Amino acid sequence: MKTRDMNRDWIATAATLNSALPYLQRYDGAIVVIKLGGHAMGSDEAMESFARDVVLMRQVGVNPVVVHGGGPMINAMLGKLDIQSEFVGGKRVTDKATVEVVEMVLSGLVNKRIVQAINGQGGSAVGLSGKDANLMVCDQTDPSLGFVGSPSKMNPKVLHDLFSHDVIPVIAPLGAGQNGETFNVNGDTAAGAIASALKADRLLLLTDVSGVKNAAGEVVTELKAGQIREMTLEGTIAGGMIPKTETALDALHSGVRAVVILDGRAPNAVLLELFTEHGAGSLIRPD
């Protein structure tokens, strides 16, 4: 006969599961788009943890979509191939040689690494890019930047088809041009466009910061779209946070219910945000 004493850790775990029930019910059947980048892609351990979180989401009835970046990997490959980059206004010019490397790295190396990690945790993931099934058709953003695109037409049917078979889409931010070109798309922009096309319940932007901060340097846990605009005009929101908040505002305007800019360095950040009362970043809602 075995005996076992209940300890505080077990009791706390049971209490956490119990308190998650209303959140599990709330997100049953919901579409959640996750922009993966930064720390969560930086190590095998972080990737494994993220993949487990995504598989758990699918297991409890959420329809997750992963959209990823890969800038550091692209830079490394360009360096290995001795392909020099030019910059206009601080932005990389993506010429024909560069966009070929971008597609090779994003649709190949990075995308399949994420797919493999999710499948390794018992999920069923399929990798694709915005070029597949005309998911994301793009116009050229600026001729001076070369093959950099802005989404102009979305066709999310392929994603709904994957949801119906319990498959997790993993999407590289590449788009098809009207004349068969391949366009590189900013990862946050791509995630926002996909979330908008799906009318997602949540768009989660994983970053390497703790969230949107006020003038005192404190993370603001809940904001309205109007407050974001005010903080940007005041200069409180600046630098690399501006593109993320602009993505958030565009997504909200297009029908996404809420956007969260959250700290991807925190263990299980996605689960904390969705299934606990604590959250893990800054929740932005429409006015």
Side-chain angles (χ1 to χ4, degrees), residues 63-133:
N63 292 307
V65 179
V66 179
V67 182
H68 62 84
M73 297 79 166
I74 293 170
N75 291 338
M77 184 60 71
L78 288 172
K80 287 181 181 179
L81 297 176
D82 196 26
I83 296 176
Q84 303 300 316
S85 296
E86 295 182 20
F87 291 84
V88 173
K91 297 180 180 180
R92 185 198 302 275
V93 176
T94 305
D95 59 15
K96 181 69 173 173
T98 300
V99 80
E100 289 177 354
V101 173
V102 168
E103 183 166 23
M104 176 177 67
V105 172
L106 292 182
S107 285
L109 177 67
V110 178
N111 188 274
K112 300 316 173 191
R113 178 187 175 212
I114 299 168
V115 167
Q116 187 174 14
I118 293 172
N119 292 343
Q121 295 301 319
S124 178
V126 166
L128 57 159
S129 78
K131 293 172 65 176
D132 293 300

Side-chain angles (χ1 to χ4, degrees), residues 33-49:
V33 177
I34 308 165
K35 164 53 185 8
L36 175 63
H39 177 82
M41 295 178 65
S43 70
D44 291 341
E45 292 78 14
M47 181 65 74
E48 182 178 322
S49 177

Side-chain angles (χ1 to χ4, degrees), residues 24 29 58 64 140-141 145 154 166 184 200 222 257 270:
L24 295 171
R58 179 56 258 168
Q140 189 176 42
T141 302
L145 296 176
M154 305 295 295
D166 294 334
N184 184 22
E222 290 195 29
R257 292 187 61 178
V270 172

